[in-house]
């Protein structure tokens, strides 16, 4: 089985920083894209940032220049460094990864359990 385990959420004042981590574990053959999405109360889940296995990245306009994404392929881990946080960044942040499990022919889209980020004004 494959699972994604997130860490690093919490409460921070506006202008502060947090770093989220997400480690994929289990019977993994290969990982393609990894990324982060977020969902604020009463809103739909939205893309924050994604990164391919080759290091190409894509960001939501609202976080460009503030939330660099990176990954360590050897550790099957993706990171989101969140700087200059704003109250509107408050949401549950979900890790996402497109993984081919071992002994499986198909790629599967996996989600983490979510981690709360709260930014106070």
């Amino acid at each position: 089985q494959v699972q994604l385990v997130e860490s690093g959420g919490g409460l921070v004042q506006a202008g502060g920083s947090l770093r989220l981590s997400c480690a994929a574990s289990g019977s993994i053959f290969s990982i393609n894209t990894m990324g982060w999405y977020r969902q604020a109360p009463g809103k739909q889940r939205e893309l924050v940032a994604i990164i391919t296995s080759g290091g190409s990245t894509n960001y939501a306009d609202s976080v460009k220049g503030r939330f660099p994404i990176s990954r360590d392929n050897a550790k099957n881990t993706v990171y989101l460094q969140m700087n200059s946080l704003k109250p509107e960044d408050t949401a549950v942040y979900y890790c996402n990864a497109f993984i081919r499990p071992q002994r499986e022919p198909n790629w599967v889209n996996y989600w983490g359990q979510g981690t709360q980020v709260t930014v106070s004004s």
Side-chain angles (χ1 to χ4, degrees):
Q1 291 185 348
V2 174
Q3 61 177 350
L4 303 180
V5 178
E6 300 143 338
S7 61
L11 173 64
V12 64
Q13 288 189 332
S17 298
L18 284 173
R19 188 191 194 208
L20 304 183
S21 300
C22 171
S25 64
S27 301
I28 296 171
F29 178 77
S30 184
I31 303 178
N32 194 332
T33 301
M34 302 184 80
W36 294 92
Y37 290 71
R38 67 186 181 186
Q39 187 167 18
K43 295 188 177 181
Q44 290 188 331
R45 190 174 297 189
E46 63 177 5
L47 169 72
V48 177
I50 56 173
I51 184 169
T52 68
S53 57
S56 297
T57 58
N58 190 32
Y59 295 93
D61 287 343
S62 59
V63 306
K64 280 181 181 177
R66 298 191 298 127
F67 290 9
I69 188 172
S70 60
R71 65 189 280 177
D72 185 333
N73 290 330
K75 296 181 178 180
N76 290 339
T77 299
V78 63
Y79 306 95
L80 187 71
Q81 178 65 44
M82 300 187 294
N83 302 317
S84 302
L85 281 158
K86 305 174 182 179
E88 52 263 44
D89 294 318
T90 295
V92 178
Y93 284 70
Y94 296 92
C95 177
N96 174 264
F98 201 47
I99 296 173
R100 183 177 171 185
Q102 289 183 356
R103 296 179 293 279
E104 294 287 339
N106 299 316
W107 292 80
V108 180
N109 201 30
Y110 288 92
W111 292 91
Q113 78 283 0
T115 185
Q116 178 70 46
V117 171
T118 302
V119 184
S120 63
S121 57

